[in-house]
């Protein structure tokens, strides 16, 4: 048994976590200002932006993956630019699947953050202004510390969703060993090759990790509530 | 001196109406805005603080122009030196009592820590300084909000019904405290209240606001009692019940929780009316009740 476990290649996990961590980090940084805008702005075309943000929820991953592939390949406009600056196209490379994951998981970060911003009582923000604090300082000292559960939810959902994605990554990244072959794809590969042992081990580990991540979130959220 | 001359269209339950006021607050004065719910009291405070923009008008603090629609001047709330106590206190749940008050000052300087402690002692909160707002009573939260609003020595302290959510005995104590603080710092104060005894107790002058317009200004006595009665013995109350008895009526009146029955022949009295109960021709006796 132990022998079998030792023989399995665990590098897809490393790749998967690298992808999930980088994706989540970018999503958080991009998602914050967008969620702030969606929560507080009275801009008339806001609904259009909200719809665009939610689009990955309803689009089949293959549709999203197809468009992303067109953009990121050698002839796509992003792929071309990337080729000029970095010497290789975006598609079928790690950077490509990071971009794809960011877009695919966008609503999973932006929706909880928007809800979090909206949950903050307006008078807290106004109190901070009358106490002389700028909008930016108010965000960091008043708003964000009081929406920790929303931040945690956004981060976890994005992280977990990135770990679990399959279609988009396959379309944009292919299945290149050590570059774009994440666990979910590795499982598919193993099954195709009738290597059920590997598929079993990968699946069990992914199952356990996903459950553990969600468990931690719910436990932390409970602690926030108590206060 | 603070000059306020503003106009803003508001949307009330009965449709649009104009909030249009023009008044001044003298340095060190305690001015109260009194008026029914929806008359625009909160909106006036918010316009002074810069949280709401008047449609047109002019706001000036000791010669500094904060708002002038004709010159397109609108100083943001951060740059107006006001202390604002919100109706719901608006304490930051993520900060302790100490941190809430210290938030008003610049980052931790030595003398600032001392200043915060001093103010906390003044409002008798020093022992609670490490507690979070959610674990405080309403009265305590109110005092934290007050401490936070006054620590920067604002040019004007704006209080939006700060005591209305509290029960009677706490309210009386906090009124005393407000008065003490007002005297101590000679703090120009603008209070919103719809509690007449409170207005009498605290204010030098009162503005009676009705549907966005100033109906009366003056001392509480001038505004509420007017010149219709010359006796010294009179109370405000609300009619609770009217019974007919022969040619007269027996009216039950609630005067701040005390019920009295008065006999009258006045015709157009209805339940719910605000009335003045007074006596002209006898000397009331006053007795201390412990
Ligand atoms: N920005 C705004 N635009 C239009 N209408 C507004 C605006 N802000 C408030 N109103 C309306 O103006 C009216 C007066 O509001 P305001 O909060 O000033 O009343 P208030 O006198 O403080 O009442 P209360 O005693 O209930 O607190 C309300 O009917 C409110 O709905
Ligand atoms: Mg109000």
């Amino acid at each position: 048994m132990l022998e079998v476990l030792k023989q399995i290649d665990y590098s897809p996990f490393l790749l998967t976590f690298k992808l999930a961590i980088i994706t989540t980090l970018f999503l958080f940084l991009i998602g914050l200002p967008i969620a702030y805008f969606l929560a507080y702005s009275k801009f008339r075309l806001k609904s259009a932006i909200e719809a665009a943000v939610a689009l990955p929820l309803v689009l089949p991953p293959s549709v999203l993956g197809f468009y992303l592939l067109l953009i990121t390949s050698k002839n796509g406009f992003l792929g071309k630019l990337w080729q000029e600056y970095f010497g290789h196209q975006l598609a079928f490379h790690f950077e490509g699947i990071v971009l794809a994951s960011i877009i695919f998981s966008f609503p999973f970060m932006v929706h909880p953050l928007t809800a979090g911003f909206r949950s903050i009582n307006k008078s807290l923000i106004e109190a901070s202004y009358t106490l002389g604090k700028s909008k930016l300082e108010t965000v960091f000292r008043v708003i964000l510390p009081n929406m920790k559960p929303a931040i945690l939810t956004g981060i976890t959902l994005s992280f977990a969703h990135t770990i679990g994605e399959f279609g988009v990554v396959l379309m944009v990244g292919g299945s290149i060993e050590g570059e774009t072959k994440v666990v979910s794809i590795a499982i598919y590969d193993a099954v195709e090759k009738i290597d059920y042992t590997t598929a079993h081990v990968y699946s069990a580990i992914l199952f356990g990790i996903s459950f553990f991540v969600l468990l931690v979130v719910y436990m932390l959220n409970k602690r926030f509530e108590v206060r | 001196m603070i000059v306020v001359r503003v106009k803003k269209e508001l949307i009330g339950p009965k449709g649009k109406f104009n909030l249009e006021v023009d008044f001044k607050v003298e340095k060190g004065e305690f001015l109260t805005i009194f008026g029914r719910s929806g008359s625009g009291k909160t909106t006036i405070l918010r316009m002074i603080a810069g949280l709401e923009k008047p449609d047109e008008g002019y706001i000036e603090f000791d010669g500094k122009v904060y708002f002038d629609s004709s010159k397109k001047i609108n100083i943001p709330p951060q740059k107006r030196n006001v202390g604002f106590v919100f109706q719901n206190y608006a304490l930051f749940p993520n900060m302790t009592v100490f941190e809430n008050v210290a938030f008003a000052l610049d980052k931790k300087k030595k003398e600032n820590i001392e200043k915060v402690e001093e103010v906390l002692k003044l409002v008798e909160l020093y022992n609670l300084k490490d507690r979070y707002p959610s674990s405080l009573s309403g009265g305590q939260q109110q005092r934290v909000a007050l401490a936070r609003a006054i620590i920067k020595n604002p040019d004007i302290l704006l209080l939006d019904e700060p005591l209305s959510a509290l029960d009677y005995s706490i309210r009386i104590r906090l009124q005393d405290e407000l008065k003490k603080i007002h005297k101590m710092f000679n703090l120009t104060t603008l209070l919103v209240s719809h509690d007449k005894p409170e207005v009498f107790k605290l204010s030098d002058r009162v503005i009676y606001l009705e549907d966005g317009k100033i109906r009366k200004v003056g001392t509480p006595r001038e505004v509420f009692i007017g010149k219709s009665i010359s006796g010294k013995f009179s109370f405000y109350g609300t009619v609770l019940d009217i019974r007919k008895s022969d040619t007269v009526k027996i009216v039950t009146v609630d005067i701040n929780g005390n019920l009295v029955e008065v006999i009258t022949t006045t015709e157009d009295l209805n339940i719910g009316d605000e009335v003045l109960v007074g006596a002209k021709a006898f000397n009331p006796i006053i007795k201390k009740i412990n």
Side-chain angles (χ1 to χ4, degrees):
Chain A
M1 181 68 191
L2 219 58
E3 281 303 299
V4 177
L5 285 181
K6 270 185 188 160
Q7 272 164 17
I8 287 174
D9 172 18
Y10 292 99
S11 64
F13 279 102
L14 232 61
L15 193 65
T16 303
F17 286 118
K18 196 170 114 188
L19 176 67
I21 289 170
I22 293 175
T23 300
T24 307
L25 195 73
F26 273 106
L27 263 180
F28 184 62
L29 297 178
I30 304 166
L32 269 184
I34 291 180
Y36 183 88
F37 167 82
L38 288 180
Y40 298 131
S41 151
K42 294 190 182 93
F43 181 54
R44 261 192 308 146
L45 297 176
K46 204 169 83 173
S47 304
I49 297 171
E50 277 182 302
V53 167
L55 212 50
L57 284 179
V58 290
L59 275 185
S62 49
V63 172
L64 207 61
F66 175 63
Y67 283 128
L68 280 168
L69 186 60
L70 287 185
I71 297 171
T72 54
S73 66
K74 272 197 288 270
N75 303 320
F77 86 98
L78 253 181
K80 227 182 208 160
L81 271 178
W82 205 267
Q83 182 99 35
E84 272 171 37
Y85 284 100
F86 298 99
H88 61 80
Q89 61 176 346
L90 254 181
F92 310 119
H93 286 89
F94 184 71
E95 299 93 316
I97 59 172
V98 169
L99 176 73
S101 307
I102 288 174
I103 291 172
F104 191 51
S105 294
F106 217 72
F108 292 85
M109 180 63 86
V110 173
H111 284 172
L113 289 184
T114 308
F117 278 120
R118 286 200 179 123
S119 73
I120 301 294
N121 197 325
K122 203 173 110 213
S123 63
L124 288 187
I125 300 170
E126 292 179 339
S128 173
Y129 293 168
T130 63
L131 293 168
K133 304 303 177 208
S134 69
K135 284 191 172 175
L136 199 66
E137 192 168 356
T138 303
V139 167
F140 285 106
R141 291 183 64 190
V142 175
I143 302 180
L144 292 183
N146 285 308
M147 53 180 264
K148 280 185 205 139
I151 294 173
L152 188 67
T153 307
I155 287 178
T156 325
L157 284 182
S158 309
F159 190 84
H161 193 241
T162 305
I163 289 180
E165 76 177 276
F166 175 75
V168 181
V169 173
L170 189 62
M171 295 281 283
V172 177
S175 171
I176 296 162
E177 200 86 38
E179 184 75 24
T180 61
K181 189 171 169 183
V182 293
V183 180
S184 59
I185 293 173
I187 293 171
Y188 182 76
D189 267 7
V191 174
E192 281 230 300
K193 290 178 195 146
I194 326 189
D195 179 2
Y196 278 28
T197 324
T198 306
H200 261 304
V201 175
Y202 283 177
S203 300
I205 295 175
L206 212 52
F207 190 93
I209 289 172
S210 303
F211 181 77
F212 180 74
V213 167
L214 290 178
L215 184 70
V216 170
V217 173
Y218 283 113
M219 278 167 30
L220 280 177
N221 261 341
K222 206 168 159 191
R223 265 198 34 209
F224 287 136
E225 272 165 26
V226 171
R227 235 258 231 93
Chain B
M1 188 176 69
I2 288 144
V3 180
V4 181
R5 193 169 61 236
V6 289
K7 199 169 162 184
K8 187 177 175 71
E9 188 180 85
L10 297 178
I11 303 161
K14 283 182 284 176
K16 289 179 183 172
F17 69 100
N18 271 321
L19 174 64
E20 201 174 349
V21 293
D22 183 350
F23 62 91
K24 293 186 174 88
V25 195
E26 300 295 335
K27 192 152 200 69
E29 187 183 21
F30 199 120
L31 178 67
T32 301
I33 302 178
F34 177 89
R36 245 190 269 167
S37 181
S39 55
K41 305 180 298 289
T42 299
T43 308
I44 294 177
L45 294 198
R46 291 173 57 80
M47 289 193 290
I48 295 173
L51 298 171
E52 197 110 36
K53 197 174 162 225
D55 293 341
E56 55 178 279
Y58 181 83
I59 298 171
E60 180 200 296
F61 273 50
D62 301 326
K64 288 168 284 181
V65 178
Y66 276 6
F67 182 83
D68 188 343
S69 55
S70 65
K71 289 185 187 143
K72 298 236 180 320
I73 296 174
N74 187 12
I75 306 291
Q78 287 90 343
K79 304 235 169 68
R80 302 187 182 196
N81 191 18
V82 301
F84 202 124
V85 175
F86 290 79
Q87 211 158 350
N88 62 359
Y89 313 139
L91 299 178
F92 306 125
N94 59 314
M95 301 178 202
T96 61
V97 168
F98 183 93
E99 288 164 343
N100 261 283
V101 178
F103 184 84
L105 302 173
D106 289 331
K107 284 272 165 134
K108 286 166 192 152
K109 282 187 206 156
K110 190 88 198 277
E111 68 262 31
N112 280 348
I113 294 176
E114 279 161 22
K115 197 168 173 193
V116 174
E117 291 183 342
E118 199 179 300
V119 172
L120 285 176
K121 277 177 193 152
L122 176 76
V123 294
E124 293 168 33
L125 281 172
Y126 186 75
N127 293 333
L128 302 175
K129 72 184 170 70
D130 295 322
R131 296 261 289 266
Y132 284 90
S134 59
S135 72
L136 300 181
S137 73
Q140 290 163 342
Q141 292 186 20
Q142 205 280 329
R143 299 216 293 265
V144 180
L146 187 63
R148 192 178 67 179
I150 61 172
I151 193 161
K152 268 215 310 197
N153 278 326
D155 291 332
I156 187 168
L157 177 63
L158 303 170
L159 304 160
D160 192 0
E161 305 199 40
L163 308 177
S164 62
L166 306 172
D167 49 326
Y168 187 71
S169 60
I170 302 265
R171 212 157 72 207
I172 300 295
R173 260 188 56 206
L174 285 174
Q175 285 167 2
D176 293 337
E177 204 154 291
L178 264 183
K179 196 156 191 167
K180 185 180 89 185
I181 286 170
H182 172 248
K183 280 225 179 90
M184 202 170 202
F185 298 105
N186 195 27
L187 209 57
T188 312
T189 306
L190 184 52
L191 170 82
V192 164
S193 173
H194 56 218
D195 183 28
K196 277 182 192 156
E198 184 170 298
V199 178
F200 267 89
K201 186 164 168 184
L202 294 173
S203 16
D204 300 322
R205 267 194 320 145
V206 53
I207 289 177
Y208 193 148
L209 196 69
E210 200 171 66
D211 297 329
K213 310 279 187 305
I214 295 178
R215 213 182 70 176
K216 281 187 196 166
V217 198
T219 63
R221 179 154 289 275
E222 283 163 7
V223 168
F224 293 133
I225 296 174
K227 290 168 182 71
S228 59
I229 192 164
S230 56
K232 295 157 195 145
F233 188 67
S234 52
F235 300 99
Y236 260 102
T238 313
V239 176
L240 291 183
D241 184 44
I242 304 172
R243 270 179 297 145
K244 272 202 163 54
S245 166
D246 296 334
T247 54
V248 295
K249 288 179 191 163
I250 303 175
V251 183
T252 312
V253 183
D254 173 3
I255 300 173
N256 287 326
N258 297 311
L259 301 188
V260 294
E261 287 196 325
V262 186
I263 294 170
T264 180
T265 51
T266 313
E267 281 301 325
D268 57 346
L269 263 188
N270 294 306
I271 290 174
D273 281 353
E274 298 235 323
V275 292
L276 192 65
V277 177
K280 275 186 182 175
F282 73 102
N283 286 323
I285 310 161
I286 190 160
K287 242 182 166 175
K288 192 174 163 111
I289 39 170
N290 269 343

